[in-house]
């Protein structure tokens, strides 16, 4: 009997050790509904235009009606989870002439839904989509502007992720937000990032969704598997000292947004192996913008999730036929099965991050002219252990790791510091991990 007991204990501890996946994340993938996303994109398109400067009085058309509907959807979700969401408008008055695309004073109104964390309520991971749309002339706020893919798809995905994740409880808070004023100059993101600073929110990062529904690209490729994760290399807020240190210690491709991108890449590869996430090492598309940028500007981690193959005849276009080409961002071009997949990518990453302990804030590295690299970090409340990651300096992903248990320093015997990049992540009780932290201090 005793022997059997010992055997069972050994068996359980082995399986606990091997458990690299949390089956709840597969449930979350399956729970995301393409049908509900289709219904919501259709509703958003039917507001006629959602231009930031459009009508706010009508109950059926314009951005006012659209944002009231989005708020009511979040409130419905909240009613189904015992009021687990705190839903509110966050708004800023933008004055006429603040950029060429603000031709009259306008309230830029975001719709925010906060699912409060049980253990770290002031720690937030954010998913965003955009409320607003536009046609060829960015200041035309009356013409029909369905914005089905740009960006009703991201907005509907965000509403759907709230429905799915509100069935669970998380240690950290999750924010689902519809941002406005994107096409006029990223005003909604600017407003919410400033609000977050004022409130002292501890933001892990923002996963911004902008165009997650087109599978047929101008490049001739049709793929419902590929998608892009855009991330900037290092924060624009870094100090001169940090910049100088990077020259000698490295880190050109290891900023906080890049670590968020790697996290999403890894979670997707683990739980949705049929997908092909492409990490793009740049802030955004060439010369183009998105709502993660104002968060980056404020020093927060943030990435953009979007389709891999864009179609420019279906973005920012008056609806028309010209030389046999049908222009316009209309409902018929959105692939809802694909939008479901990218929504699921968001949902599993929000869940994994919100179930994981915070990352260590200080990670020190040493081992100059020695045969082994050494790492030290601060103890994280809620972590059951830590993983040291490393990779070849040319590799985009953290390819090697060692789980070192509940300690705050470790020497990687025989791993020479010069030949790899290193990082540390905190691991929680259900194996969910924090983002990897690139060393931010040196010791001898
Ligand atoms: Zn756009």
């Amino acid at each position: 009997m005793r022997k059997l007991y010992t055997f069972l204990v050994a068996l359980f501890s082995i399986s606990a050790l091997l458990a690299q996946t949390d089956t709840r994340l597969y449930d979350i993938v399956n729970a995301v509904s393409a049908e509900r996303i289709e219904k919501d994109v259709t509703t958003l398109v039917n507001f006629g235009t959602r231009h930031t400067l459009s009508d706010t009085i009508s109950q059926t058309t314009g951005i006012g009606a659209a944002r009231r509907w989005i708020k009511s959807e979040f409130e419905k979700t909240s009613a189904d989870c015992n009021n687990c969401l705190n839903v509110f408008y966050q708004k800023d008055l933008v004055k006429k002439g603040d950029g060429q695309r603000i031709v009259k004073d306008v309230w830029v109104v975001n719709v925010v839904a906060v699912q409060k964390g049980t253990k770290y309520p002031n720690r937030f991971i954010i998913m965003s989509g955009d409320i607003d749309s536009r046609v060829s002339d960015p200041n035309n706020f009356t013409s029909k502007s369905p914005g089905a893919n740009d960006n009703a798809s991201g907005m509907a995905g965000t509403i759907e992720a709230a429905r799915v994740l509100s069935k669970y409880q998380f240690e950290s808070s999750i924010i689902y937000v519809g941002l406005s004023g994107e096409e006029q100059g990223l005003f909604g993101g600017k407003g919410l990032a400033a609000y977050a600073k004022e409130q002292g929110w501890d933001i892990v990062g923002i996963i911004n969704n902008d165009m997650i529904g087109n599978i047929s690209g101008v490049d001739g490729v049709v793929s419902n598997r590929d998608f892009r994760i855009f991330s900037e290399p290092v924060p624009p807020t870094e100090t001169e000292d940090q910049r100088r240190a990077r020259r000698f210690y490295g880190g050109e491709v290891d900023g906080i947004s890049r670590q968020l991108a790697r996290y999403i890449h890894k979670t997707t590869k683990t739980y949705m192996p049929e997908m092909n996430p492409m990490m793009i090492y740049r802030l955004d598309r060439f010369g183009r913008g998105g709502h993660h940028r104002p968060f980056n500007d404020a020093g927060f981690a943030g990435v953009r999730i979007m389709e891999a193959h864009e179609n420019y005849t279906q973005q920012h276009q008056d609806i028309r036929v010209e030389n046999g080409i049908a222009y316009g961002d209309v409902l018929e071009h959105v692939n809802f099965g694909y939008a479901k997949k990218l929504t699921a990518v968001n949902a599993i990453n929000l869940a994994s991050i919100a179930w994981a302990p915070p990352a260590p804030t200080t990670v020190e590295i040493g081992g100059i002219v020695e045969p082994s690299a050494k790492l030290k970090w601060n103890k994280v409340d809620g972590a059951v252990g830590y993983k040291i990651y490393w990779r070849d300096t040319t590799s985009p992903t953290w390819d090697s790791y060692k789980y070192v248990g509940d300690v705050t320093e470790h020497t990687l015997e025989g791993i020479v510091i010069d030949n790899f990049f290193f990082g540390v992540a905190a691991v929680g009780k259900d194996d969910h991990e924090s983002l990897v932290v690139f060393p931010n201090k040196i010791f001898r």
Side-chain angles (χ1 to χ4, degrees), residues 134 150 182-183 210-211 316:
R134 59 165 281 197
D150 182 14
E182 197 267 346
E183 305 289 4
D210 197 345
M211 292 190 263
H316 305 174

Side-chain angles (χ1 to χ4, degrees), residues 103-364:
V103 294
K104 59 179 183 182
D105 289 3
V106 63
W107 282 98
V108 170
V109 183
N110 300 319
V111 186
V112 188
V114 182
Q115 186 176 353
K116 202 170 167 189
T118 53
K119 185 164 182 184
Y120 313 101
N122 197 47
R123 185 169 176 268
F124 300 89
I125 177 75
I126 307 173
M127 175 179 183
S128 61
D130 299 305
I131 305 171
D132 61 310
S133 65
R134 59 165 281 197
V135 288
S136 301
D137 171 3
N139 293 341
N140 173 352
F141 54 83
T142 51
S143 287
K144 194 172 168 186
S145 178
N149 189 38
D150 182 14
N151 187 12
S153 66
M155 187 65 251
T158 304
I159 294 169
E160 175 65 4
R163 287 188 193 113
V164 170
L165 296 182
S166 58
K167 305 280 183 258
Y168 299 85
Q169 283 200 335
F170 299 95
E171 295 197 339
S172 293
S173 297
I174 301 176
I175 296 177
Y176 314 92
V177 60
L179 297 169
S180 189
E182 197 267 346
E183 305 289 4
Q184 306 317 108
L186 310 177
F187 287 100
K190 237 177 272 177
L192 188 65
Y195 180 82
K197 287 229 139 170
E198 256 168 51
Q199 299 289 314
W201 287 355
D202 173 11
I203 294 183
V204 182
I206 182 165
I207 307 175
N208 178 45
N209 292 265
D210 197 345
M211 292 190 263
I212 60 167
N214 180 59
I215 62 166
S216 178
V218 277
D219 52 7
V221 178
V222 180
S223 167
N224 62 1
R225 294 290 189 263
D226 305 345
F227 72 95
R228 293 179 287 181
I229 311 165
F230 286 91
S231 65
E232 65 179 4
V234 291
T237 50
E238 69 173 359
T239 63
E240 195 51 36
D241 279 352
Q242 287 169 324
R243 199 181 72 83
R244 202 175 310 114
R246 204 168 61 231
R247 188 167 177 219
F248 299 101
Y249 304 116
E252 292 83 354
V253 292
D254 276 279
I256 50 176
S257 295
R258 187 61 47 74
Q259 304 307 348
L260 177 58
R262 289 196 179 102
Y263 191 99
I264 294 168
H265 183 272
K266 181 185 154 188
T267 312
T268 306
K269 285 284 196 188
T270 305
Y271 290 95
M272 300 176 69
E274 75 279 18
M275 297 304 285
N276 174 32
M278 302 157 66
M279 278 195 285
I280 310 288
Y281 276 27
R282 64 197 312 164
L283 170 63
D284 208 320
R285 285 95 25 90
F286 193 89
R288 304 181 69 197
H291 250 150
H292 53 307
R293 194 211 301 169
F295 289 85
N296 293 161
D297 289 339
F300 299 125
V303 300
R304 175 188 187 131
I305 302 276
M306 82 176 295
E307 63 209 26
H309 308 287
E310 288 183 68
N311 195 327
Y312 309 120
T313 61
Q314 297 162 15
Q315 304 172 6
H316 305 174
Q317 297 284 356
D318 292 335
I319 300 170
R320 67 193 191 281
V321 178
E322 220 174 85
N323 303 322
I325 299 167
Y327 288 84
D329 187 357
V330 295
L331 193 64
E332 292 68 41
H333 295 139
V334 179
N335 184 294
F336 300 103
Y338 179 69
K340 170 205 153 99
K341 291 281 190 188
L342 296 204
T343 299
V345 165
N346 280 264
I348 58 175
N349 279 285
L350 296 171
S352 183
I353 290 170
W355 271 324
T361 46
T362 308
V363 173
E364 300 180 56

